[in-house]
Amino acid sequence: MDQRLIFDVAHFLAGGLVLISFLLLYQDRMFGLLNMFALHAFVLSLSVSWQAFVQNAPHLYITAAIALVLKAIIIPILLRRVVIRLDIHREIEAVGGIGLTMLFGIGLVALSMVVMLHVTVGADRLAREDLALALSVVLLGFLMMVTRRNAVSQVIGFMSLENGLILAAAGAKGMPLVVEMSVAFSVLVAFLVIGIFLFRIRERFDTVDMHALDRFRGEHL
Amino acid sequence: MALIVAIATQGIQMMLVLALAPLLTGFVRKVKARLLMRQGPPLLQPYRDLLRLVRKEVVLADNSSWLFRTAPYLIFAATWVAASLVPTFATGLMFSWSADLIAITALLGSARFFLALAGMDIGTSFGGIGSSREATFATLAEPAMMMMVFSVALIAGSTQLSTFSSFMVSPDVGLRVSLALALVALIIVAIAENARIPVDNPATHLELTMVHEAMVLEYSGRHLAVIELAAHLKLLLYASLIACLFIPWGLAKPGATAGDLAIGGATYFSKLAALGLLLGIFETAIAKMRVFRVAEFLGIALMLGLLATLLLFVSRSL
């Protein structure tokens, strides 16, 4: 297979993942956010299956399938039901300036490129590119968790961060399947725990806005 | 002899853009009218409008300065030069050494500068508000355009349009996410710069939203005709820029025969028709956005341009 085509497709898919992370940052409606997250997971599973195909590593297909079924189908459906039950789907989130967040995001992408391209000088070109883009997806996930106040979108930020980790793991050759499986299931467990917490927060404060916690602790009176 | 042919081809290019520009506008209007189940004005209506305006008397405000009278010609000249630098049916034309994306952006920028000055010259509130809005949008649209230019230039290793379009048809291009991002950024900038629907609607006189129309509200007669023609040319310029950068197939190579030139012309026509059709469909499908949201819309273009440039640093070429 043509070496250039392999690289181009991998770059296209990983770059698309970074772009969808930006779209996640840009969304201000709940259902739009959930749909974008499903798309994020879908592109991730495409990217991982391309890596499986390129590296001739069939166990990566299982990772891709887990990403597709769990994160692109089951978790968005569950989150949608949570959103409907909490009745926050009409809520347009107050994010502190989308433009500023976007600029921060661009800065983070630039940072991850600078760091990763310096750290991985001797490595394989495909792995280098994948690692740099995966680090940007992780950082953008962090940024999303920082800039959002609504607990549900923080969960989505966390999940998209984890997608970046899977991308990095798929790019590195010889990652054993056990690691990926355990990461995937720990995310599912984390999702369940966070879901329970969401309902607890809601019961206690009648909102899922994280500012309520600050008020409760007496930080912003 | 070769020199004469080169000059002639370049001349044809300049006349072609001038002659086609109102037709493209008319075509987009026709598409929009047909999509709304209306008959729409005939395709040649923009030419008739221009002719009628040229015959009319010029009405000038008492306090207008020389700037107000010269600005239309300056705007038109800058836009025409920029539009004729973009390769339409052939690459490697006589002036193609100067067909530099940065030069074209600068020409459009100076045209915009004079338009904003002319808007403020009379001293009415509409002109002022239009100029102020135009300047606000320009602060986002121009960096977005420049980032698009940089990412495209980094890919091809040149800011020259002819070089880039011949690079695009070579097999070196491959599949690049940066190019897709740059294309979307360019489309957003083109929509904003041409005062098309989600940003501005030149067909209405609604003071809450108008931008371009507010600046040219005081113009009449031949001045208005020249400004309208410049606006048509700008739409054609962006359409041919998209066609030349991202769908360059069919362009005649330097030193092409008459047959190649004919093929280039035919493909250019079909590209323009396709882009005009897409623009018409897009404009009927979407609603006008609030003026305050335009900054966000253009911010996306800037973000995409930046991202395209950044992603290049992990791509194959660098």
Side-chain angles (χ1 to χ4, degrees), chain A residues 4 7-9 11-12 15-16 19 22 26 106 109-110 113 117 125 129 132-133, chain B residues 171-172 174-177 181 293 296 300 303-304 306-307 310-311 313-316:
Chain A
R4 283 208 318 223
F7 185 87
D8 278 343
V9 173
H11 181 246
F12 192 78
L19 181 66
F22 271 100
Y26 180 75
I106 291 283
V109 174
M113 306 259 157
L117 293 184
R125 221 165 39 151
E129 169 254 12
L133 294 178
Chain B
D172 288 339
L175 194 64
R176 285 169 195 264
V177 72
L181 297 182
R293 286 205 52 204
E296 231 170 68
I300 298 174
M303 196 268 298
L304 289 174
L306 278 167
L307 201 59
L310 275 178
L311 286 184
F313 285 92
V314 287
S315 76
R316 152 160 68 79

Side-chain angles (χ1 to χ4, degrees), chain B residues 112 126-139 199-200 206-212 214-215 288 291-292 294 298:
Chain B
R112 187 216 310 280
F126 275 139
I129 208 170
S131 303
S132 133
R133 283 175 181 169
E134 178 84 4
T136 315
F137 298 162
T139 52
V199 174
D200 186 6
L206 187 63
E207 61 272 20
L208 279 175
T209 56
M210 61 184 180
V211 180
H212 175 81
M215 285 187 288
K288 167 94 183 58
V291 170
F292 301 109
V294 173
L298 282 169

Side-chain angles (χ1 to χ4, degrees), chain A residues 111-124:
Chain A
L111 180 76
S112 70
M113 306 259 157
V114 170
V115 170
M116 272 304 171
L117 293 184
H118 274 283
V119 171
T120 59
V121 170
D124 176 41

Side-chain angles (χ1 to χ4, degrees), chain A residues 40-165:
Chain A
H40 199 267
F42 178 66
V43 174
L44 174 78
S45 79
L46 281 184
S47 184
V48 172
S49 11
W50 182 254
Q51 290 283 354
F53 174 67
V54 167
Q55 294 177 17
N56 219 348
H59 69 271
L60 281 180
Y61 283 120
I62 300 176
T63 313
I66 291 175
L68 184 68
V69 174
L70 215 60
K71 306 186 91 180
I73 299 169
I74 294 180
I75 288 185
I77 290 175
L78 289 179
L79 271 175
R80 181 175 286 259
R81 283 166 67 179
V82 168
V83 165
I84 291 172
R85 270 188 63 191
L86 289 176
D87 197 27
I88 50 173
H89 57 281
R90 289 223 185 90
E91 213 160 275
I92 296 167
E93 271 184 296
V95 187
I98 282 178
L100 198 65
T101 316
M102 289 292 184
L103 279 183
F104 257 112
I106 291 283
L108 287 178
V109 174
L111 180 76
S112 70
M113 306 259 157
V114 170
V115 170
M116 272 304 171
L117 293 184
H118 274 283
V119 171
T120 59
V121 170
D124 176 41
R125 221 165 39 151
L126 196 60
R128 259 183 108 181
E129 169 254 12
D130 244 13
L131 281 178
L133 294 178
L135 182 63
S136 356
V137 173
V138 169
L139 290 178
L140 288 174
F142 271 127
L143 182 66
M144 177 142 174
M145 290 178 75
V146 171
T147 53
R148 295 298 172 107
R149 291 196 312 211
N150 189 309
V152 175
S153 40
Q154 288 183 353
V155 173
I156 290 181
F158 173 71
M159 299 270 158
S160 74
L161 181 158
E162 203 268 336
N163 282 353
L165 291 181

Side-chain angles (χ1 to χ4, degrees), chain A residues 159-212:
Chain A
M159 299 270 158
S160 74
L161 181 158
E162 203 268 336
N163 282 353
L165 291 181
I166 291 184
L167 182 67
K173 273 186 189 140
M175 178 73 84
L177 180 61
V178 183
V179 178
E180 283 153 28
M181 294 284 273
S182 62
V183 167
F185 281 108
S186 66
V187 166
L188 190 63
V189 172
F191 173 74
L192 292 176
V193 173
I194 292 169
I196 294 166
F197 262 116
L198 269 180
F199 282 103
R200 298 283 301 179
I201 293 170
R202 155 88 169 179
E203 253 170 47
R204 182 120 192 143
F205 301 106
D206 282 330
T207 176
V208 281
D209 190 325
M210 285 301 151
H211 269 217

